[in-house]
Amino acid sequence: MIVPVFNPGPTFDDLVGSFDRQTLSAAEFEVLLCDDGSDESTQERLAAVAQDRPNVRVLNLPHSGWPGTPRNEGIAAAAGEYIFFVDQDDYLFDAVLEKICDYADLHSSDVIVGKEVGIGRTLPRQIFRRDVPHAVLGKDPLLELLTPHKMFRTAFLREHEIRFPDGRVRLEDHLFVMRAYFLARTISIFASEPCYAWVKHPGSASAARIEPETYFPHLEAVLDLVEAHTEPGRLRDKLLRHWLRGKILKRLSGRQMARYPAAYRDRLLDVVRPLVAARFGSGVDDGLTFPNRIRVALLRADRRAELLRLAEFEAGLECEAVVTSASWTRGGGLALAVDVRITSGGADAFVAEESVPGSGRVAWVPAVDLGDLPRTLFEENRDVRRDHIDLFAGSESGGAQRRLLSRKPKKSGPVRVAVDPLRVFEPTDSSRHARLSVKIRRGGWTFEVPLTADPALLAGAGASPLLAGRTTILAVTDGGAVDLVREWPGGALKDFVGRAVRRIRALRKK
């Protein structure tokens, strides 16, 4: 395990504690604390950690100011069969090293993407939906998470001389991981167990506003790497689209774009417009979602006023998911009808019209003036096929969410869903509350909102069996959010923040 270290804070103790909770013996794994020129007190702290743990070594290095060089020194010094890159502010889940090593041995993996869990941050969900022993770049969602928090076969890294760039290089993790992806014989996704806790802390480098003139040359280095390992065509377009969408168009959308100072916004556009013209062709554009197809067309035409207008429109979008009917089925399920509405300024945010009169093709036109763009650009037919609504149950602590179901909504009318309470409250789960929320994808926009309801509407819900001898209650908080509450007999009903909830109906075993 390789950990670049520079004057860590108190959370470093969480990482050290996670080393001690592994099931591998100290003789079976080593930890290299690659100290990037920390102060004297940190050096003493690291020495104390190593003194009590025979499998921990400290590499005292000159200060480089970026994690690439310490990681490279760790690769050179590592004695184990695998290398797992860990950052000083994060931690490992219990017993994970043994499990992920066994998985890598089983599949002869060169790269193993263990399940990351965001602490204080939202991470992509698609990549960790299931285990994928032999993942394929361009087919499986490997690009969703290009952090270095992965495990690599040591001999593989050394054979291909895969290293991080030295010095202060942005997107150094993308350069490293993508080179490994292109050269690996086997890439595996281990999603069945949480492996790595990626903790968000204020003041991290990724949280700072970029300097366009210095950031985007580093992005071009990633694009160069992709082009060097692919031929022109669908795979290259699909890979390049990831960086166009995530590193350029995302910065030109919604609140982020609308909040830029005017001078900074012009600097950003001055840099990215020629970059997009030079590096991304029409094949890349074609696979973009509906809003990004509009955005990139405005960017290519250098229509800055309309780009800002679109961003301000997006920033003002509101979505609500309201229960219009609810009942308990004979089998104990909860049947809901959910009405989803997207608005801007209280009115419907989009107007449906034909893109070409008489064609039958639907254009979904935002209720904002974007000039004389062709209506065919607003055709939403392809995006409608990707629309979905996911229902989630949140834990009592507000942490991990469990997806209960996914549905494709109709073009009009409520979405009908059925919830199995046994999937909300597992037999070993001590949680009393499950806050229901929905994630809605509509025409390329994505919204995550609480499920809400009128308490009077839910008061008519019918009966459902007990779960593990307890009472299941459908409740609505004062703010209208919908909870499923599992109550011990005589127990008090509280929502996530300790406020009393209104009891709608106790569902008792007959």
Side-chain angles (χ1 to χ4, degrees):
M1 195 181 318
I2 293 175
V3 186
V5 178
F6 181 71
N7 294 339
T11 57
F12 183 67
D13 293 338
D14 297 335
L15 174 60
V16 175
S18 74
F19 301 158
D20 298 336
R21 293 190 298 274
Q22 299 306 310
T23 51
L24 292 176
S25 70
E28 293 176 299
F29 79 101
E30 69 171 354
V31 179
L32 298 179
L33 302 178
C34 303
D35 181 25
D36 192 46
S38 295
D39 58 27
E40 185 175 348
S41 64
T42 295
Q43 293 176 23
E44 293 173 354
R45 183 182 182 187
L46 300 182
V49 171
Q51 183 177 3
D52 296 337
R53 297 166 180 83
N55 60 334
V56 176
R57 284 196 288 154
V58 180
L59 303 184
N60 294 302
L61 307 170
H63 184 57
S64 68
W66 212 249
T69 297
R71 288 175 182 148
N72 290 338
E73 294 291 337
I75 294 172
E81 183 177 357
Y82 299 105
I83 289 173
F84 199 144
F85 293 105
V86 178
D87 285 342
Q88 66 181 23
D89 292 329
D90 302 329
Y91 59 88
L92 300 176
F93 283 89
D94 296 356
V96 69
L97 285 181
E98 182 173 10
K99 295 173 183 177
I100 198 170
C101 286
D102 288 346
Y103 188 78
D105 289 343
L106 179 63
H107 300 292
S108 301
S109 311
D110 289 326
V111 183
I112 307 90
V113 185
K115 182 175 182 178
E116 289 193 51
V117 177
I119 308 298
R121 66 170 81 236
T122 302
L123 298 185
R125 296 189 180 103
Q126 188 70 22
I127 186 173
F128 297 125
R129 290 189 65 182
R130 61 186 178 89
D131 287 348
V132 185
H134 300 277
V136 177
L137 190 60
K139 174 185 175 183
D140 296 298
L142 289 166
L143 296 186
E144 277 196 346
L145 205 58
L146 292 174
T147 61
H149 314 136
K150 299 171 175 60
M151 198 168 79
F152 301 83
R153 189 178 296 275
T154 307
F156 162 71
L157 295 181
R158 290 174 177 168
E159 175 188 355
H160 295 284
E161 298 182 340
I162 300 174
R163 298 292 186 272
F164 290 89
D166 291 307
R168 190 178 178 87
V169 176
R170 301 300 297 266
L171 300 175
E172 82 285 349
D173 44 358
H174 291 214
L175 290 167
F176 183 91
V177 172
M178 286 305 299
R179 187 151 185 261
Y181 280 172
F182 282 124
L183 296 174
R185 292 181 296 272
T186 302
I187 306 168
S188 300
I189 299 174
F190 180 63
S192 54
E193 298 264 1
C195 299
Y196 189 94
W198 187 15
V199 185
K200 184 176 182 179
H201 295 279
S204 65
S206 60
R209 181 181 292 170
I210 63 166
E211 292 298 317
E213 297 83 0
T214 58
Y215 178 89
F216 286 103
H218 297 303
L219 174 60
E220 290 205 74
V222 179
L223 305 181
D224 289 340
L225 177 66
V226 172
E227 292 182 355
H229 287 275
T230 59
E231 297 294 330
R234 292 181 64 184
L235 175 60
R236 177 184 287 184
D237 287 343
K238 185 173 185 178
L239 299 182
L240 293 178
R241 191 177 302 126
H242 170 79
W243 285 276
L244 172 60
R245 183 177 58 242
K247 298 303 178 184
I248 297 177
L249 297 181
K250 183 177 180 180
R251 289 186 162 94
L252 305 180
S253 63
R255 290 182 176 87
Q256 187 168 2
M257 173 74 161
R259 289 174 178 171
Y260 291 146
Y264 178 84
R265 185 164 50 241
D266 283 338
R267 285 174 53 206
L268 178 62
L269 293 172
D270 286 345
V271 172
V272 299
R273 181 174 174 265
L275 173 61
V276 167
R279 302 304 298 258
F280 303 99
S282 59
V284 179
D285 293 3
D286 289 343
L288 292 171
T289 59
F290 171 66
N292 276 333
R293 292 198 303 273
I294 300 171
R295 201 176 335 274
V296 78
L298 293 171
L299 177 62
R300 290 186 184 280
D302 200 22
R303 295 173 61 165
R304 302 188 179 199
E306 287 90 344
L307 269 173
L308 177 58
R309 205 172 295 145
L310 175 61
E312 291 171 338
F313 166 77
E314 290 174 314
L317 288 177
E318 295 183 353
C319 179
E320 59 179 3
V322 181
V323 176
T324 57
S325 70
S327 61
W328 292 97
T329 67
R330 290 183 178 179
L334 176 60
L336 302 175
V338 180
D339 184 44
V340 176
R341 189 183 181 204
I342 302 171
T343 59
S344 177
D348 287 339
F350 303 94
V351 178
E353 58 184 48
E354 284 191 310
S355 58
V356 177
S359 67
R361 300 197 302 268
V362 178
W364 205 43
V365 183
V368 59
D369 181 12
L370 298 178
D372 57 352
L373 291 173
R375 283 298 180 262
T376 53
L377 184 63
F378 297 91
E379 288 183 358
E380 55 135 22
N381 299 30
R382 177 179 60 191
D383 298 276
V384 165
R385 293 195 296 270
R386 301 173 184 169
D387 285 356
H388 64 257
I389 176 171
D390 293 337
L391 181 65
F392 291 91
S395 67
E396 187 173 1
S397 63
Q401 290 185 317
R402 183 181 298 118
R403 184 166 68 172
L404 303 179
L405 54 86
S406 181
R407 288 286 184 273
K408 181 176 175 56
K410 298 178 180 179
K411 286 189 176 182
S412 60
V415 179
R416 299 192 178 277
V417 299
V419 180
D420 180 359
L422 291 174
R423 294 188 62 194
V424 180
F425 298 114
E426 297 178 345
T428 58
D429 190 356
S430 62
S431 176
R432 294 189 180 192
H433 296 263
R435 174 67 45 83
L436 299 183
S437 63
V438 293
K439 181 178 181 180
I440 299 152
R441 179 187 170 105
R442 182 67 176 95
W445 277 276
T446 301
F447 307 88
E448 295 192 42
V449 295
L451 187 64
T452 61
D454 181 346
L457 174 71
L458 297 186
S464 176
L466 281 173
L467 299 178
R470 301 185 179 100
T471 301
T472 302
I473 297 165
L474 186 63
V476 179
T477 68
D478 293 339
V482 178
D483 282 2
L484 284 179
V485 182
R486 181 170 67 180
E487 183 194 27
W488 281 261
L493 297 181
K494 300 289 182 179
D495 69 6
F496 287 149
V497 294
R499 297 172 302 191
V501 296
R502 189 174 309 171
R503 178 169 172 163
I504 302 304
R505 172 159 314 213
L507 308 169
R508 301 189 182 280
K509 185 176 182 180
K510 297 181 178 179

